[in-house]
Structure formats: C-alpha cells, structure tokens
Amino acid sequence: MKRVAILISGGGSNMVALVRSMTGDHPARPVLVASNDPDAGGLVRAREMGIETAAVDHRPFGTDRAGFEAALLEPLFAARPDIVCLAGFMRVLTPDFVRRFQGRMLNIHPSLLPKYPGLHTHQRAIDAGDAEAGCTVHEVTAELDAGPILGQARVPVRPGDTADDLAARVLKVEHQLYPAVLRRFADGERHPIYLD
Ligand code: GAR
C-alpha cells in the first residue's frame, strides 16, 4: 500500500476528492494532510475524515524559504510518504525540497499546461479568448508548473464567463482528474490521461 501525503493551503476540495478516492482496492492511503496556513479550511475537513494533519505557518519564516521547508519536512518525513500530492498548495518550493521527492510529487494546476503557468490562469484564458480551459496534473520538478504531464481535463469557456465562473467549472473536473491520475500513478502508470 502506497502512503500519500497531501499539501494544501486553502479549502482543500481537491484534497477531499483524493482522500475519498483512496478506499477499497485503491493502491494508496492518505497518511497526512499538511498546510502552510494553520487556518486552512482543508485542515478541519481532513481531521473530520480522520486524517492526521500538520500546520507549519510560513509567515514567521519571512523570506527564509529553506527554514520553512525544513520545518515542513519534519511532519512529512515522520509520515513516510511514498507520494506527495500538492493540492492547492500555494508556496513555491525550492529545488532542494523538490529533489527530496523527485519522481513522486504531483501537483494540480488550473490550466491546460504549458499554457498559463503561475497565477490568475482563468482570467488569462478569458482575456486570450480561449475556447477551452482546464486543468493539468503533472510531476513536480524544480521549474514551476513545468514537470511531465500525467493528465489533463478540458472544459469549454462560455461567452460572458467571469474568472469565478470558469474556476468553478474547472474545479469540478479537477476533482475527477486528480483522483484518476493518483490511482494510475500509485499503480506505476506514467502515461498521461486526457478527460474531456
Ligand atoms: C485549485 O483550483 C488548484 O488547481 C489551484 O488552487 C485551487 C485549490 O482549491 N492550484 C493552484 O493554483 C496551484 N498553483 P482546493 O483547495 O479547493 O483544492
């Protein structure tokens, strides 16, 4: 059985989708949900589901990223994860941290990468007049939002969409894509899947 740690910063709806998927004959189980924000709503949801949680506030560390990551590594190492899933984790990780989980850390990003790495993805898709948007699950590498793609899901951009409208439509398919990719990944499958 593969052990999965999930890193979050906010509401954690992707984390909930991942946790709910890991039952029955699934090859993985959740062992830890950790956040850089002690007030992240997802921490409460994780505890309600009986998952161990950890909060490592990044703010006291200021610009000391290495210090923050060293503190985050303590509960992470203690949980002995085989796979680390970033699920709405909004801190950029240093190459040193990424290297420790090379080939076994996944991220979900709310755009059809390589389009729109970084922030404000939905507004950028609307401003560009794109007919389609979506989300990508990829392996995390030192370069931001640029690791090998493991899966994508597409949604239409509708006339008059606001960024919030589009974000809500994309989030729904994130909840399908991420569990589907994690299951395959835990089984050793690295070929990307595409959900329409
Ligand atoms: C999701 O849309 C996720 O793709 C995005 O944050 C949201 C988190 O929602 N992640 C990023 O933008 C990473 N750069 P959630 O907390 O409800 O899962």
Side-chain angles (χ1 to χ4, degrees):
M1 199 60 85
K2 297 270 165 50
R3 301 168 64 83
V4 177
I6 305 171
L7 303 188
I8 63 167
S9 296
S13 69
N14 276 291
M15 175 277 296
V16 170
L18 290 173
V19 167
R20 286 198 179 136
S21 73
M22 285 184 264
T23 59
D25 65 355
H26 196 290
R29 289 290 182 270
V31 293
L32 178 72
V33 171
S35 178
N36 62 298
D37 180 354
D39 297 323
L43 288 175
V44 179
R45 300 173 84 178
R47 273 181 226 122
E48 284 168 0
M49 293 187 294
I51 315 297
E52 194 187 325
T53 62
V56 179
D57 193 343
H58 67 279
R59 287 166 296 192
F61 293 95
T63 55
D64 178 14
R65 275 186 196 278
F68 163 66
E69 290 180 352
L72 182 60
L73 280 174
E74 282 185 30
L76 255 185
F77 278 155
R80 294 180 288 106
D82 300 296
I83 299 170
V84 176
C85 290
L86 308 184
F89 185 70
M90 303 307 282
R91 306 299 301 166
V92 174
L93 295 166
T94 66
D96 190 47
F97 187 96
V98 170
R99 213 172 295 121
R100 289 172 189 274
F101 300 102
Q102 198 163 10
R104 54 198 184 98
M105 183 153 57
L106 312 185
N107 179 46
I108 188 155
H109 181 76
S111 79
L112 295 171
L113 291 171
K115 272 191 167 181
Y116 316 129
L119 298 175
H120 310 301
T121 54
H122 305 105
Q123 191 61 53
R124 288 155 73 193
I126 290 168
D127 291 348
D130 292 353
E132 281 187 328
C135 55
T136 303
V137 177
H138 63 94
E139 262 182 57
V140 177
T141 57
E143 196 185 338
L144 184 71
D145 299 331
I149 288 174
L150 296 166
Q152 287 188 318
R154 288 162 193 280
V155 300
V157 180
R158 300 227 165 90
D161 266 351
T162 64
D164 285 349
D165 295 333
L166 186 55
R169 197 173 305 128
V170 171
L171 193 61
K172 269 193 195 162
V173 295
E174 291 185 40
H175 298 161
Q176 294 164 8
L177 180 69
Y178 211 172
V181 170
L182 174 62
R183 183 172 189 133
R184 287 162 56 93
F185 191 84
D187 271 330
E189 178 61 71
R190 298 294 182 268
H191 293 298
I193 49 168
Y194 295 94
L195 309 181
D196 288 300

